[in-house]
Each structure stands twice: as structure tokens, then as C-alpha cells.
Amino acid sequence: MNSYGHFDDASREYVITRPDTPWPWINYMGTGDFFSLISNTAGGYCFCKDAKFRRILRYRYNGVPMDAGGRYFYIKDGDTLWNPGWKPCKTPLDFYECRHGMGYTRICGEKDGLRAESLFFVPLEHRCEVHRMKLVNRSDRPKQIQLYAFVEWCLWNASTDMENFQRNLSTGEVEVCKDAIYHKTEYRERRNHYAFYGVNRPFDGFDTDRETFLGMYNGFDAPSQALAGTSGNSVAHGWSPVAAERFDLTLAPGAMEELIFVLGYVENPADAKFCAPGVINKAPARTMMDAFATGVQADAAFAALRAYWDDLLGRFTVASAVPELDRTVNVWNQYQCMITFFMSRSASYFESGIGRGMGFRDSNQDLAGIVHLIPDRARQRILDIAATQFPDGGCYHQYQPLTKRGNNDIGGGFGDDPLWLLFGTVAYLRETGDFTILDEPVPFDNVPGSEVTLLEHLKISFRRVATHLGPHGLPLIGRADWNDCLNLNCFSLDPDESFQTTENVAGGQAESLMIAGLFVAEGKDFAELLDRLGDADAAEVRTAVRTMEDAVKKHGWDGEWFLRAYDFHGGKIGSRECDEGKIFIESQGWCAMARIGADEGLCDKALDSAVKHLECEHGLVLNAPAYSSYLYQYGEISSYPQGYKENGGIFCHNNPWVIIAEAMAGHVEDAWRHYTKITPAFGQQSHDLRKVEPYVFCQMVAGAEAARPGEGKNSWLTGTAAWTWKCVSEFILGVKPQYDGLLIEPCIPLRYGTYRIHRRFRDATYDITVHSTEDGPGKVFIPYAPGHQTIEVIV
Ligand code: GLC
Ligand code: GLC
């Protein structure tokens, strides 16, 4: 069994010890509006605000070899050309290590006695990446080497950058100074922004024309200038602008040289774009470079970044008997929640950054992972999302981060979408107690003058679903519900049409039990909220919830589990009567979380059935048996081979629904087992089998019916992050934020039942020691009061 790395808990780092990981193992940098993706070999790219419209570095998707493009350092030492991150030259190294930490990555390589330690981070206050390169001659001979620092510019719009060559190959423009290369394509016309790659000493040579640096038919692994130890001093006019900077260095034995690079992005006001005709105003870039001119300054900026993460991750910590649990809770799950909140589903090594913006449903769920960390930003996000809603409660499925405007690029009219606004807002309110957000005026579809309060948006959301019911009184599914691939109103036989935007048969009446469960769960929470506000509409909400519960019991129960849906023609989906897709996870999770029919034993039965039919070695699959052929009345779900994605994959996002429901039902061992199966720190799969990063959740792990069960895909950007956080923090460790305090109600096996929690909650700090007992699980309520409290809880 190959191992490619391990956790370093004390440093909050994952240490990668071999560069040839089964898939690039990446990290993210950035906390404001400048973000970077960086792989363990320094591949990746950065952007400001929007991965599609303000892309700074070019990246090659579907590239061969994989992961082409990044910030590459080349070292020419005698006849050897090598990269400290191994790629792209892949010269064998004497030592390699990559440490992915909180918002930074260190890559260290050593070859023939020369050690190159690089640190990459995005500082808090600037729109840039800082690259610190430290070279140490550990040999006993003097070394004369060339160091090259290389990046390739993207012509801003990452989408047209890949297609519109008849234009692009003529537009590229740069400016070169002695210590910085500026990328200014299109600045002469409508853009007010440029990028630069600067360094804290003059370089000895440069190239800005890619072909001059690489050679026309060479790859990144064989740049002809670096192979020769030379530079072409080329100035790009069109074609593909790059920044390649050469430094001739002499290092005595034991000597150290440090260079600090700044890869930055600048926006200038319209009236201060130029300092001379055609010459860009570089003052802001200079200021940024000056801020990192010395090691002391870079140290300070890095220390500030560490302090930022120390503060955030200091808000909720656990000390238990289970190291895998502690490192997941204290570090990696919360970190992934932050990244998912920042990126939504836009930019990862599975999301191209050009396809999807911020999802209405996704971003609302992401809130549950970060309300305790960055409540102000959660507040703004809620208002941004609500502003994309329509007056009838429907909404765009996504909006573009740059403009905050909704669009129909990936469809609209998903039956579940409006309810997630309730979910996100309630999570925010319980954490912060900030009810003023409900009075904020929020427009519809961003149209000025259309504002109503956020509370009104919530009511409209609820009513939208309450009034869009089908023949069985269950919610209409629309384009799809949470499962984007259950497309019951689209009958597509044309491979060129999208399942989510095609509507080719009118009058769809398909209904969803997943939405029914979501509606009841969110409706109960909404009624509680309205009660608190003294709002009489609580009664209407409760009635609608009761009616829905009745409809589920009457038309949504299949005998041993909850049905999944009724199709266009009123046929059952997820029923023992079906040949395939007899049982689905989403309706078991949601109806059981909503406790529909709990008194009659329905929830227990549904959860038992989930264990019996859906559980496999690596988690709970989405449906079983998976569909073995394409069924045009069901849509995209049946387009996936069995065991993958929404067709029988372990869609990790929905496993926590079952875990939470198990916890609510008091099924301690089941909850724990499901949790440890999907949580990567527990290491249930080998690195080679899992393939993707062992420190973050992935959207999907191949299910039992797949060719390689246990293989992970779509790591990083997934609702799994927020949902597992909610599940482990509130339901397993049992720290539930309420409007008036914290309810402690754990569900953890007795053998791990004593642990300590440190929790910041509004203006209070709690140190809680939990002791679980045989009679548990029980619960204890701790009222909110500012200040510090140390509490022992016996449950
Ligand atoms: C993807 C989507 C999410 C959807 C899920 C299931 O993760 O981002 O919105 O709910 O797939 O189809
Ligand atoms: C596909 C994927 C699903 C994702 C959707 C986004 O349907 O299977 O996971 O949510 O695309 O549009």
C-alpha cells in the first residue's frame, strides 16, 4: 500500500512526501477576493473575484500531462535542469516535500546539494500571491546556477482565452521593468486592471514571449532558454505572453539566497490608468511590491495570515480520544467549509472556473459551515443570494460572483431552491442572534425599487413550495430537486441538450419526497422563528407542515422506506415495485430528519432500510440498485454508469443527512459508523484507491456497483463540507446553537463519550467538558451569557 503523505496536526498541515500523487493534491490560498489554487507541484492558477472573468494565470484543462500551468521555478545547475516541485521537468529529486497549510503551501526540493524551499501564500491585505524562494547550498562546493521564475498569463476571460484565437493571438501586451513584468492585455481599451510578476531584486534576463522562452515545439518540461542558461529578453506582442525571469546566482558552500516574488493584480481608477501615453500607472503595483521587499516584511505578512487562521480555528475545538476526529473537526473540515464558501462550486480541479458561479442552493448550504467563523460575510452572502430571487419565490439556480446577478446558464425552476434560503438564514440567526438581518430591504432579481424585507423573502420562499404541489399534495420537483440529475419533466433523446435546461414536454406534475422532507424540516424551523418574532403567520406555516406530513404518510411511504418521487405520469420512483432504483437516500435522510411519522416508527424503519440496502464498505450509496440503462423519463441520473455520481455513487453530501437522522433517532453506533466511513482522516481507503486528497471530503466516492468502489472524485467544492460540519459539531459532538444558548446533546459511542469542547458563541466563550453516560444520550441547555464559562456536562 503506497503512502504519499501524512497529517502534521501541530502545524495544521498535510505533508506530501512524494510528488507523483495519484491525482494532483491541491490547496487554496486567499481570504478576501483574490484566490489561488495550488497543487503539490505548484500547478494551478489565481484569479480576482471571479474565476471566469478575472483569471490571472492560464491553466490547461484536460492537459497531458495532467496539471500543466502554474508558478514554476527552474534551476539550472551545471547540466541539470530541475524544479523544486518536481514538475514540469520531473528530474528526480534527492528530497521532496510539500506542506499544504491553512492558506499557504510550502514546497521544498533538493538536488545535488542545493536545497530550494518555497513558500506560497496570499497575504490578508493585498491582491497577490507572495512566493518566497530560499536557496541553500548544502554541498561543500561553490555553486553557480541560474534560477528562473515562470508564469503564463491568461487573457483575463478564462473561457474566451481557450477559444477565440483569431483575436487573442493579436491582443497580448506587456511592459517590462528591471524587476517586474506587467501583463496589460486589453488595458488600452476597456479594462482598468493589469497583473504583474515582480521581485525584490533586478533580474539578469527575462522573456515575455512564450515561444521564445520554451521554443516553438517544446513543453514546460524543456524550456530552451533555461536548458541553455540564457534569456531571449523577448517582449510579447500578441501570441502568448508570459513572465520568465532569470537570476544568475553564486552560492558559496553553506550560503543562502532569498528572493521574494509578488504575483499581483491591480485595478486603477478610470482617470489614473496611465502615467504617460500608453504606459500603465504602476504606482499601486510598486506599493504592493514594496510591502514585501524584505524577509522581515514577508514574515510579518505570513504571521498575520497565520493569526487569522488561528483566530478562526480557535473558535471551535474539540479534544477527544479520537485523533482522526480531532484533526477533522479542528482543522480540515472547517478549512474546507471556508474554501467552499469562498468558491461555491466555481474553481477546483474538477470545476473549471468557467462553468458554474455561485449556486443558490449550494451557497445557502455552505453557510452552515461558516456562520460560526465569519458571520459578517455570511450575512452579506444571504442578502446577495436573496436579491437574486423572483417576486414569485422562484429563483435563478446560480449567480455570477463578479456582478452578483443571477443567470439561467445552468437552468432555473428547481423545486427545492427556495427552501434553502430558509435553511441558510436560520443557521445564521441561531449562531448570531442577529435578527436585524430580517428587516434588511432586499430587491427581487436585483431590480432597484423592488425591495421587501428579508423576512418577506423567506415567507415568499415558503409559500412558493407550499403552493406548488402535485396530484398527491407533494411538492412539484420542477427541473429537479437537490438531485440535479432527477430530471422528471425532461424527456431528452438528444445528446446535445442539457438535462437541466431542456423542457420539451409541458405540464410536468412530477413530485419529490426529498422536497417534502425538506419542507417539513424547514417549515418547523420557520414556524419557531415566526413565533419568536410574534408573527401570526406561524399558524399558516404549521398548517402547511401538518398537511405535508399527512401527504407523506399517505402517499410517500412504501412499506419499509420513503418513496423518492412520483414521475411525470404518476409512477413511483424509489419503491420496492421498481426493478432498479428501489430505494434512494435523499428521502430517507430528509423525511427522517423532519421526523415524519416518527411516532409510528417510520423513521426507524427508513433508516434501517438505508443501512440494509444502501450501505457499503465506503459509505451509503445514493440509490440501489443503480440504473443499468438510460431511462429518458428519469433523465441524467440514468446517464451515469452504475456506481458513479448520482447513479449509485456514494454522494458524500447526503450521507450526513442519514447520520443526522440516525443521531436524532438515537442510533449511536450507526451514526458513528456512517461518519467514519465518509471522513477521509479515518483512512478507510488507501491513497492509491482514493486518488484524491486524503485531507478533504469529496463530492463522490464510487459506490459498490462501480468498477473501482472507493475511488474518490470531485474533491473540495461540495456541500459535504458544510453538512459533515453540521453533523459532527451539532449531532455527534452535540453542540447545537439555539436562539438563546447552546444545547448540548451528543450522539457518540460511549467509549469516546468524554471530551472537551472550546466554543466561541457570539460574545461568549465556553469551555465544556462532556461526560456521556449509559443512560444517555441526554441533553443539557446552556443559556447564552457574554463572558467566559467553564462547564461540566453529564448527559
Ligand atoms: C452537485 C451540485 C448540487 C446538487 C448535487 C446533487 O453537488 O452542486 O447543487 O445538489 O450535485 O445533484
Ligand atoms: C451534473 C452533475 C451534478 C451537478 C450538475 C450541475 O448534473 O451530475 O452533480 O450538480 O451537473 O449542473
Side-chain angles (χ1 to χ4, degrees):
M1 193 168 115
N2 287 327
S3 167
Y4 297 82
H6 56 265
F7 290 95
D8 177 345
D9 293 332
S11 319
R12 297 199 190 110
E13 290 172 339
Y14 191 86
V15 187
I16 302 168
T17 50
R18 286 175 59 167
D20 57 337
T21 46
W23 178 259
W25 286 1
I26 72 164
N27 192 13
Y28 286 84
M29 310 190 289
T31 51
D33 61 10
F34 182 105
F35 294 104
S36 306
L37 289 72
I38 182 166
S39 72
N40 59 307
T41 56
Y45 58 87
C46 50
F47 61 89
C48 189
K49 290 182 244 180
D50 192 306
K52 176 173 176 179
F53 292 115
R54 294 290 181 275
R55 185 74 66 94
I56 297 164
L57 296 188
R58 182 172 280 171
Y59 189 76
R60 282 172 181 70
Y61 316 93
N62 267 333
V64 176
M66 179 66 195
D67 195 24
R71 320 94 184 131
Y72 292 141
F73 289 104
Y74 295 88
I75 293 170
K76 169 92 163 66
D77 182 5
D79 290 337
T80 311
L81 186 67
W82 61 282
N83 310 102
W86 184 60
K87 260 173 67 73
C89 293
K90 295 201 291 180
T91 308
L93 302 176
D94 300 332
F95 175 79
Y96 161 89
E97 185 183 87
C98 167
R99 290 177 169 262
H100 285 319
M102 304 290 102
Y104 68 90
T105 287
R106 294 178 192 278
I107 297 178
C108 177
E110 185 169 329
K111 182 82 189 160
D112 298 334
L114 186 69
R115 196 175 181 103
E117 294 171 13
S118 50
L119 166 66
F120 302 87
F121 67 98
V122 170
L124 294 177
E125 306 295 340
H126 294 280
R127 289 172 169 174
C128 67
E129 286 182 10
V130 175
H131 305 166
R132 271 184 100 162
M133 171 51 78
K134 209 194 260 185
L135 295 163
V136 186
N137 182 358
R138 291 156 61 113
S139 78
D140 51 12
R141 287 161 293 114
K143 282 201 178 270
Q144 282 194 324
I145 61 150
Q146 278 84 42
L147 170 75
Y148 292 84
F150 172 85
V151 296
E152 182 180 10
W153 305 113
C154 177
L155 306 184
W156 306 120
N157 180 327
S159 184
T160 59
D161 184 65
M162 296 194 296
E163 336 177 303
N164 194 2
F165 304 111
Q166 61 79 25
R167 170 179 166 82
N168 294 348
L169 296 179
S170 291
T171 54
E173 288 189 293
V174 297
E175 284 183 36
V176 182
C177 296
K178 66 181 187 339
D179 57 358
I181 291 169
Y182 295 83
H183 174 227
K184 60 169 189 176
T185 301
E186 292 184 347
Y187 189 81
R188 62 197 302 287
E189 30 134 340
R190 294 161 299 170
R191 293 190 185 274
N192 68 334
H193 59 87
Y194 61 81
F196 65 96
Y197 196 31
V199 53
N200 65 343
R201 71 163 81 182
F203 31 77
D204 296 301
F206 65 89
D207 276 294
T208 65
D209 174 61
R210 189 183 70 200
E211 269 63 65
T212 306
F213 181 66
L214 294 181
M216 187 64 211
Y217 294 103
N218 288 6
F220 293 128
D221 60 327
S224 54
Q225 297 292 345
L227 284 167
T230 55
S231 297
N233 295 340
S234 56
V235 177
H237 297 283
W239 304 111
S240 294
V242 300
E245 301 167 353
R246 189 188 92 239
F247 305 86
D248 302 328
L249 304 171
T250 305
L251 287 100
M256 193 269 277
E257 284 277 355
E258 186 181 54
L259 296 89
I260 305 175
F261 297 84
V262 176
L263 174 61
Y265 169 92
V266 162
E267 286 174 1
N268 276 332
D271 58 355
K273 276 178 68 169
F274 298 98
C275 60
V279 182
I280 61 176
N281 170 6
K282 303 182 185 67
R286 279 285 141 205
T287 308
M288 226 188 286
M289 285 169 63
D290 288 348
F292 304 97
T294 66
V296 173
Q297 288 170 297
D299 280 344
F302 186 60
L305 178 68
R306 299 212 75 159
Y308 170 86
W309 284 103
D310 286 348
D311 171 61
L312 285 185
L313 298 179
R315 285 162 192 243
F316 191 126
T317 60
V318 61
S320 79
V322 189
E324 294 87 352
L325 177 69
D326 290 6
R327 70 172 62 111
T328 303
V329 169
N330 295 339
V331 186
W332 294 98
N333 193 356
Q334 297 196 67
Y335 184 58
Q336 189 178 356
C337 286
M338 288 285 287
I339 303 302
T340 323
F341 171 78
F342 290 143
M343 298 290 123
S344 193
R345 305 298 171 270
S346 70
S348 74
Y349 272 27
F350 294 88
E351 302 280 5
S352 63
I354 53 183
R356 300 210 262 167
M358 317 295 281
F360 190 98
R361 157 205 304 145
D362 293 335
S363 291
N364 271 307
Q365 290 171 81
D366 292 345
L367 292 167
I370 55 90
V371 281
H372 67 298
L373 297 174
I374 43 170
D376 295 347
R377 293 179 74 167
R379 188 180 206 276
Q380 188 56 50
R381 178 68 59 84
I382 291 169
L383 299 174
D384 289 347
I385 297 173
T388 65
Q389 194 174 29
F390 299 117
D392 69 359
C395 38
Y396 293 109
H397 200 45
Q398 73 163 5
Y399 69 98
Q400 207 57 38
L402 190 67
T403 60
K404 297 189 175 175
R405 298 292 158 122
N407 65 52
N408 275 322
D409 294 355
I410 56 165
F414 292 77
D416 62 318
D417 266 344
L419 292 172
W420 295 111
L421 188 61
L422 284 169
F423 172 85
T425 308
V426 166
Y428 172 79
L429 291 173
R430 287 199 176 137
E431 180 66 36
T432 62
D434 167 28
F435 289 91
T436 65
I437 191 175
L438 296 172
D439 304 327
E440 290 287 343
V442 181
F444 291 107
D445 195 9
N446 283 293
V447 176
S450 65
E451 289 82 0
V452 299
T453 62
L454 178 64
L455 180 62
E456 204 50 44
H457 278 268
L458 298 183
K459 291 185 179 177
I460 292 168
S461 299
F462 185 80
R463 283 188 192 125
R464 163 84 191 186
V465 180
T467 57
H468 282 64
L469 305 178
H472 301 92
L474 297 166
L476 291 173
I477 200 167
R479 268 311 178 240
D481 58 23
W482 170 87
N483 188 333
D484 277 335
C485 300
L486 202 55
N487 315 116
L488 304 181
N489 298 313
C490 156
F491 298 81
S492 181
L493 289 172
D494 175 355
D496 298 324
E497 56 194 22
S498 149
F499 290 102
Q500 279 90 30
T501 55
T502 302
E503 182 173 324
N504 45 15
V505 184
Q509 294 282 295
E511 299 164 281
S512 160
L513 269 301
M514 179 269 154
I515 307 181
L518 175 67
F519 180 85
V520 171
E522 296 316 311
K524 286 178 179 171
D525 284 352
F526 193 37
E528 183 198 3
L529 172 64
L530 292 173
D531 279 345
R532 271 192 83 85
L533 301 172
D535 189 316
D537 287 351
E540 171 200 328
V541 171
R542 286 218 164 80
T543 306
V545 164
R546 266 195 304 275
T547 310
M548 186 67 72
E549 286 177 315
D550 291 343
V552 171
K553 286 192 236 173
K554 189 147 174 234
H555 300 293
W557 182 248
D558 194 54
E560 297 288 323
W561 55 78
F562 294 101
L563 288 176
R564 177 62 177 86
Y566 283 99
D567 68 18
F568 188 92
H569 303 289
K572 291 176 184 174
I573 297 183
S575 159
R576 66 206 142 129
E577 295 162 23
C578 306
D579 293 334
E580 296 176 334
K582 286 175 185 293
I583 172 168
F584 279 69
I585 195 168
E586 304 99 320
S587 44
Q588 314 319 320
W590 273 104
C591 293
M593 280 197 288
R595 306 291 292 150
I596 299 174
D599 296 341
E600 298 102 296
L602 302 194
C603 298
D604 285 345
K605 261 198 204 147
L607 293 168
D608 288 349
S609 296
V611 168
K612 188 159 161 212
H613 301 285
L614 300 175
E615 185 174 350
C616 69
E617 192 186 342
H618 304 287
L620 296 147
V621 300
L622 191 144
N623 57 318
Y627 295 110
S628 60
S629 59
Y630 177 59
L631 301 164
Y632 87 143
Q633 67 276 25
Y634 295 169
E636 187 170 3
I637 185 167
S638 61
S639 75
Y640 285 113
Q642 291 131 282
Y644 293 97
K645 291 280 286 182
E646 282 91 339
N647 189 23
I650 299 159
F651 216 91
C652 299
H653 187 152
N654 54 37
N655 275 234
W657 301 344
V658 169
I659 306 172
I660 290 172
E662 298 273 23
M664 291 173 119
H667 303 166
V668 181
E669 290 296 338
D670 289 315
W672 180 254
R673 193 179 66 256
H674 298 319
Y675 176 71
T676 57
K677 280 190 180 182
I678 60 156
T679 300
F682 286 89
Q684 305 259 352
Q685 300 117 309
S686 72
H687 288 165
D688 278 321
L689 174 58
R690 182 178 170 86
K691 258 187 144 96
V692 297
E693 296 88 339
Y695 38 92
V696 290
F697 291 98
C698 46
Q699 182 208 57
M700 191 229 23
V701 171
E705 294 184 64
R708 273 173 53 119
E711 185 178 67
K713 288 197 185 115
N714 298 14
S715 51
W716 283 99
L717 306 185
T718 159
T720 315
W723 273 103
T724 45
W725 173 252
K726 189 175 172 67
C727 153
V728 72
S729 64
E730 296 186 25
F731 290 88
I732 292 179
L733 296 172
V735 184
K736 300 182 173 149
Q738 311 271 290
Y739 294 121
D740 300 307
L742 294 174
L743 179 66
I744 310 298
E745 189 182 18
C747 178
I748 189 167
L750 208 52
R751 56 192 180 280
Y752 311 128
T754 295
Y755 52 90
R756 278 174 295 131
I757 297 281
H758 175 81
R759 174 77 153 90
R760 283 255 293 272
F761 182 57
R762 304 177 198 170
D763 290 332
T765 314
Y766 298 93
D767 279 291
I768 308 166
T769 306
V770 178
H771 302 281
S772 311
T773 63
E774 293 276 2
D775 314 330
K779 50 183 163 186
V780 172
F781 182 71
I782 306 175
Y784 165 70
H788 179 250
Q789 293 185 53
T790 304
I791 301 164
E792 300 257 333
V793 170
I794 298 173
V795 283

